[in-house]
Amino acid sequence: MSDVFAQLKAIVGPKGFTEDPAEIAPHLEEWRSKYTGRSPLLLKPATTQEVSAVVALCAQTGTAVVPQGGNTGLVGGQIPFHGEILISLTRLNKIRGLDVKDASLVAEAGVVLTTAQKAADDAQLMVALSLASEGTTTIGGLVSTNAGGVNVLRYGMMREQVLGLEVVLADGRVLDLLRSLRKDNSGYDLKQLFIGAEGTLGIVTAAALKLFPKPEERATAFVAVPDVHAATNLLAILQHRTNGLLNAFELVSRSGLDLVLAHIPGAKDPLAAPSPWYVLCEASGIAGIGVVFESALEKALEDGVAVDAAIAASEAQRENLWRLRESLSEAQKLEGPSLKHDVSVPVSAAANFIATAIAAVTHRLPSARPVPFGHLGDGNLHFNFQMARGADADAYLAHWDEIQQIVHDIVHEHGGSFSAEHGVGVMKRAALKRYKSAAEVELMRTLKRTLDPKNILNPGKLVPD
Ligand code: ZN
């Protein structure tokens, strides 16, 4: 093994590796501290050729690797649990090109999302993807996990943003699919295999992303609604009246807002009277979209679909409204442990799902405090249950699997998915086996065996044994 390590270190050069446990440590633990791994060697290749040479050697020697981007994943997909070699892609951090006419950008895997957003913005264009961890998360990780976020309603998940990919295969070959074509109907769309594959089929080293026109104007409101059913009615009204120009439609429960107000410095309730539910919604487009948006909100208020609304009158107010939504995870973390779910159901089933699942979980765990929130416009809910204050954390978190299965069963009954945007990793492999058909699971195994016959790429993740 030491001989293999020596060869790997020679490939990446002195700046491209570390064996120092203190330097490796931050790469071994995920953000929520739910998963901790171990790895003797962190490789930080700087080029696709180095990644290729590393993987080729690992293939020859049967050495397992775990690729990692910004380490913001939430299901353990980026953590080496069995002493695998960790490959951080963060030194592949070049934007290789941006073409205004093609409205596309080619970024290497380690480019941080905000860097790509800035490059597009400078060209009067926009990367559609936006999520809370955008200052840390990388393009390769976003592609590999098919990331979602707050703009999926309008622009789709990462899968829909990717025009082309460069991927290092399990034997070290570089698969160049880095095209920026909008139409390419020339056989299997192979790049799709690697999007959302969590590094189990290949290592993404670069991606060509779609860019969109930068909106001239954004209209943002924090709206009180009486219940979730009304929230989904509000969605329909706003989509109809803005002709589909909503880019975000986020549900916030009063319980969630209370946590933000309690824990996030400077957070203020934008509305005078409390409401059990809120929606943070935003439309964007050409100048004048705000007038259309406000008249749509007035209609919703007249119809009783909405009770009150705070409309952002400046960019600073807009940022304050968004901070309420984006701080929910942080506020939950500061409050204490939560049992968490990332699920989706059809929008039409969301109200019924939330009521049914809250009843089922609180029947089992009466002290659990429901804090559901999320991307209601996509039917994606971060369906969380906060521990009661002063309760025993270990005892509470011991219920994770049991509560998860209760929630996932109800999701399944409502025609939904046990993983909306966070992926499978290690956390949801059992769920994948439980809810996918035998044919789907077997086809996934077949793909894994075909593309990674030695099982060296992120083994033990995503695909059930
Ligand atoms: Zn989310």
Side-chain angles (χ1 to χ4, degrees), residues 148-150 250 325 342 373-375 380 382 421-422:
V150 294
E250 300 285 309
R325 163 65 186 89
D342 163 50
F373 65 92
H375 322 290
N380 175 191
H382 297 311
E421 62 175 1
H422 294 169

Side-chain angles (χ1 to χ4, degrees), residues 97-173:
L98 185 156
D99 193 298
V100 173
K101 285 186 181 171
D102 291 341
S104 67
L105 171 148
V106 177
E108 292 185 341
V111 170
V112 171
L113 179 53
T114 44
T115 305
Q117 288 169 339
K118 170 85 170 54
D121 193 73
D122 290 346
Q124 299 302 309
L125 291 163
M126 181 180 78
V127 174
L129 215 68
S130 177
L131 60 172
S133 59
E134 62 196 17
T136 314
T137 185
T138 59
I139 297 299
L142 292 162
V143 170
S144 297
T145 57
N146 184 28
V150 294
N151 285 337
V152 172
L153 174 64
R154 173 94 160 264
Y155 300 99
M157 293 177 74
M158 194 48 146
R159 192 178 293 287
E160 291 163 75
Q161 319 290 327
V162 175
L163 294 167
L165 281 186
E166 180 186 83
V167 183
V168 171
L169 298 174
D171 59 6
R173 279 178 299 166

Side-chain angles (χ1 to χ4, degrees), residues 310-324:
I311 298 171
S314 64
E315 183 57 26
Q317 286 185 11
R318 173 180 176 263
E319 281 171 16
N320 282 340
L321 294 182
W322 269 109
R323 206 155 66 87
L324 296 174

